Every structure is written in C-alpha cells, then in structure tokens.
C-alpha cells in the first residue's frame, strides 16, 4: 500500500546551542531525523518528504542516501507554514499523509502502524497522537469538548489557567486526509502569542466544519521531543534501554545495561556476553558466543563467533572466529584478522591481513602488511611501513617466527617457514626455510669493568 509522510525538520533548535542543525544530532549513533525516516520505512511508508530550512544543505547531505524528497522552508514561520511548504509534495495526492517531526526520534514501528490503522478505521479527517504526562510544560494541550471529543489544540503559551491544567499533550505527530489538510492550511493565520502559523490550528478548523477528529494516546516515552542537550541525553537513555532490552530478549547477556552503549543498527548473536563499558557503534555485527570483557570500542566491524575482546579499539575491521583481542589492542580500519589468532596487549594493526593461528602477543606494530597463518611475532616487532614519503607493503608467508624487537623495513617479503633472529632489521627478502640475522655480532671486552674501576663491591 502506498503511504506518504512529511517530516518537519526546518527548525533551528536554538536551545541546542549548536552549529549542527538540531535534527542531525544523534541518538544511539544515528541522526534523529534518519531514525524517524528508518522507522517509517519499516512501516512501508515509502513516500517521505522532509521539510528543511535551517542547515538545509547539511540535512540534505546527511539524509540523501535514504531516498526521501525535500521541500524548502526558507523562513521558519511555524509548523503550519512548514507543512504549507510541502504543498507540491502533497498536490495531486489523496488518502492519508502522516506528519512527524525530525526532533522526536523515539516513536516505534508498532505505534506508527497502530496510529495509521486507527486513523483509517475511524474514518477521521485528522488524528492526533497524544500522551498523558505528569509535566506538560511547553507542549500543546489537547482540549476536549463536553462529549470528550477533541475540540482544539492550544499551545502552552496561549493556554488559559484552566487549559494549563490539562495533562494530555500533542505529540506533534498527526495523520491527515490530504484534501482536507490542503484546504485548511490555506486558512491558517498567525494570530497568536508567537506570531507563528500553527499546524495545530488545523484541528479547530476541521472541527468547526464538523469533520471527525480522532486522538490516540500512547506511552509518553515514544513522543518525547528533543529541544536541548539534556533532552537529547534523556532520549538516548530511553532508546538505549530499549535496544539493550531487545538484545537481551534475543539471548545476549548484558551485565550492566546502564553502562553498555549499543548503536541502533548493531547486530549481536545469542550467548554473547557483554561486560560494562563497551561502546558498539555503527553497523557492527557481533556473532554468537563472543565475550566482550570491559571497556572496548568497536565500530563498523564484523566479529565472528567465539571471539574474546578486552579493553580494545576495533575500527572497520573483521575478526575471525575464536580469536582473542586485547587487552589494550588497537585495530585500525581495513584490517582482517583470521581465526584462532591472538592480538595481545599494546599491539596496533593497521590495514593489514593476519592469517589463522597467528600470534601477535605484545608490543607490536603491523601496518600495510599481509601476514600468513601460524606465525609468531616476538615482543616489540615493528613493521616499518613508512619511508617518510609513502607507505610500503610487507608480505609475510605462513609459519614465520619473528624474534623479539625485529624491524621489517617495507617493502619487504618474508617467505614461508622462516625465522628472523631477535633484534634484526630486515631490509631484504628472506627466502623459504632460511634464518635471517641482521644485527651486528656481539663483542665481549674482557675485564673492562675492573679496568675502568666501575665494579660496585
Ligand atoms: C509543537 C506543537 C505542540 C506540540 C509539540 C510537540 C505546534 C504549533 N506546536 O510545538 O503542540 O506539543 O510540537 O513536540 O505545532 N518546524 C519547522 N518549521 C517551523 C517550525 C518548526 O520545520 O517553522 C519543525 C521543527 O524543526 C521541529 C518541529 O517542526 O522538528 C516542531 O517544531 P517546534 O518549534 O519544536 O514546535 P514546538 O514548539 O515544540
Ligand atoms: Ca519541539
């Protein structure tokens, strides 16, 4: 079924005190407006128009991969005016348009579906999504007539003493009959305390024409708007709790959900255990049976089954099955670590491939290298990949044993089944089966300490 929606996203968000347009601030790793778009898409709403104005170019850039259209509101004259700016989007359409705001990212798929069903089943010309709240400060109030029907919405600043006591609030989300909406948008005026064209006034206009107006009340946590940094963190907390709960329902153990930060699009397999202090970002996939010990950041990476990670940073990389990472490892973008491997403490890996069963246990740097399987890196190995001008490649075969404190100066190749002596600086190819030694021979000067009178009795 063909469904349309408009998302109002032209406001400045003054109270955010930010250079970034408000709707681009992120909750659980995703721009608020994109979270709204993604939720609508899951409800088969495919025809989505964004009303943009403040920071229009930035908003367009951050949303353009989501296949939405745009209407421009040059001057922000109110929510009613914003929807007027989407006229060419609505023109010629009939049926229902749902209206959302780009600064209320907590709305769920289930609620959107229920909302639209309710609107259609009730044959309303407009339906308002509302909530009952303890503190209604700042919100428009839903004013009902003596029959309990919605009569109008009054903005906080325009409320009488009596109206201020109403605790049913307007979420700013609506379904409208497109034809009726178009007719009534033209009738709005800005005769109110803020001198704005209020979209909310459409409700009273419809009601005066004896049109049926519906309201459906939902959990207040779903309609929270974000106007300040404090509200941004509240929204984040609600969403985080929801996401963590979903993962736990899917069989993931999260020891302390309050201190586990998982982005919206992360996937996690069952029987994975997550200790406190983990931050899992972007499009990361963590497969089954992994253990994330405390304090790692994992971004846009794929972690295969049975991997253990502790206190490490992994960016845009792939970790193979049953491999151990950390504590204190740093795996930089475009790295691919094999199965049953070990990347230990103070190891940095950059844009490199590491084969299965290879161990890089401590204090090592590997950059721009292809490393085979079954290798062992001694403590303090450095791949010298940068000559001051360009990054060069190092190729290391299978079953290579590198002694401690070796340097491999790229470009260089080390063939299969070789040994490199501790402290060597390798600048030439090491052929299959060889032991490479590249260090000065040891010289002992007998009796030197006594001759110099340096012995401490
Ligand atoms: C609006 C509602 C209020 C409701 C509240 C819920 C009106 C008049 N009031 O008030 O009843 O309780 O939302 O959060 O509609 N926007 C534009 N262009 C504009 C003005 C706003 O695109 O000219 C966008 C903003 O970017 C924002 C949304 O509309 O995404 C809501 O605007 P905002 O100014 O925050 O409205 P509220 O005062 O919160
Ligand atoms: Ca708002």
């Amino acid at each position: 079924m063909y469904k349309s929606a408009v998302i109002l996203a032209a406001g400045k968000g003054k109270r955010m005190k930010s250079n970034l347009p408000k709707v681009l601030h992120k909750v659980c790793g995703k721009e608020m407006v994109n979270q709204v778009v993604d939720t609508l898409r899951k409800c088969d709403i495919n025809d989505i128009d964004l009303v943009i104005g403040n920071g229009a170019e930035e908003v367009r850039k951050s949303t353009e991969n989501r296949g939405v259209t745009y209407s421009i509101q040059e001057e922000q004259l109110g929510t009613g005016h914003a929807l007027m700016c989407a006229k060419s989007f609505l023109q010629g359409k009939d049926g229902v348009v749902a209206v959302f705001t780009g600064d209320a990212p907590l709305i769920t798929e289930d609620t959107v579906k229920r909302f639209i069903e309710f609107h259609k089943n009730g044959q309303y010309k407009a339906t308002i999504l509302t909530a009952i709240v303890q503190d209604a400060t700042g919100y428009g109030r839903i004013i009902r007539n003596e029959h309990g029907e919605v009569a109008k919405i009054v903005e906080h600043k325009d409320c009488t003493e009596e109206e201020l006591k109403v605790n049913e609030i307007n979420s700013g989300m609506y379904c409208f009959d497109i034809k009726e909406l178009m007719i009534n948008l033209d009738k709005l005026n800005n005769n109110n305390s803020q001198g704005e064209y209020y979209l909310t006034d459409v409700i009273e206009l419809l009601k005066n024409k004896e049109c049926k107006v519906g309201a459906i009340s939902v959990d207040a946590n779903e309609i929270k708007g974000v106007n300040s940094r404090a509200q941004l963190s509240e929204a984040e907390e609600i969403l985080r709790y929801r996401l963590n709960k979903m993962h736990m329902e899917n069989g993931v153990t999260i020891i302390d959900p309050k201190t586990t930060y998982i982005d919206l699009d992360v996937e996690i397999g069952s029987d994975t255990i997550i200790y406190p202090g983990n931050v899992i970002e972007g499009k990361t996939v963590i497969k089954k049976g992994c253990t994330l010990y405390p304090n790692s950041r994992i971004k846009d990476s794929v972690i295969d089954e049975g991997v253990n990670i502790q206190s490490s940073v992994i960016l845009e990389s792939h970790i193979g099955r049953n491999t151990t990472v950390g504590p204190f490892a740093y795996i930089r973008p475009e790295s691919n670590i094999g199965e049953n491997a070990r990347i230990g403490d103070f190891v940095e890996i950059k844009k490199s491939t590491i084969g299965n069963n290879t161990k890089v246990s401590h204090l090592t740097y590997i950059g721009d290298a292809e490393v085979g399987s079954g290798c062992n890196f001694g403590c303090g190995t450095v791949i010298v990949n940068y000559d001051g001008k360009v990054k060069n490649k190092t190729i290391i075969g299978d079953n290579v044993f590198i002694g401690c404190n070796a340097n491999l100066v790229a470009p260089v190749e080390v063939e299969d089944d070789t040994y490199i002596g501790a402290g060597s600086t390798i600048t030439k190819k090491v052929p299959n089966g060889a032991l490479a030694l590249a260090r000065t021979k040891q010289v002992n000067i007998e009796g030197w300490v006594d001759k110099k009178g340096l012995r401490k009795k």
Side-chain angles (χ1 to χ4, degrees), residues 171-186:
S171 67
M173 304 178 208
Y174 320 84
C175 286
F176 289 109
D177 173 88
I178 295 177
K179 294 242 156 71
E180 282 298 338
L181 173 68
M182 298 284 269
I183 295 166
N184 288 288
L185 276 178
D186 285 333

Side-chain angles (χ1 to χ4, degrees), residues 15 22 101 103 138-139 225-227 231:
R15 282 170 284 169
K22 175 165 80 174
T101 63
D103 64 352
Y139 286 103
V226 171
N227 298 307
Q231 286 172 338

Side-chain angles (χ1 to χ4, degrees), residues 393-396 411-415 426 428-431:
K393 214 163 159 96
T394 297
I395 305 207
I396 296 172
V412 71
E413 187 181 349
V414 180
E415 291 190 343
I426 301 298
K428 288 193 296 242
K429 178 169 177 166
V430 180

Side-chain angles (χ1 to χ4, degrees), residues 302-375:
V302 175
I303 312 296
D304 283 341
E305 282 107 34
V307 167
N308 288 346
I309 301 172
Q310 185 174 343
S311 300
S312 293
V313 176
I314 301 174
L315 310 175
E316 297 165 45
S317 290
H318 172 255
I319 312 291
R321 281 173 41 193
N322 299 326
T323 283
T324 303
V325 177
F328 316 118
Y330 182 21
I331 299 182
R332 291 167 55 191
E334 294 180 60
S335 294
N336 189 354
I337 315 294
E339 299 177 5
N340 292 305
R342 157 146 192 76
I343 308 299
D345 50 272
F346 308 105
V347 171
E348 176 175 342
I349 306 225
K350 178 233 156 186
K351 206 177 177 179
S352 295
T353 304
I354 308 287
N356 298 341
N357 302 307
T358 286
K359 305 213 168 356
V360 190
S361 296
H362 9 241
L363 298 158
T364 289
Y365 173 70
I366 298 178
D368 303 298
E370 265 172 46
V371 178
S373 60
C375 296

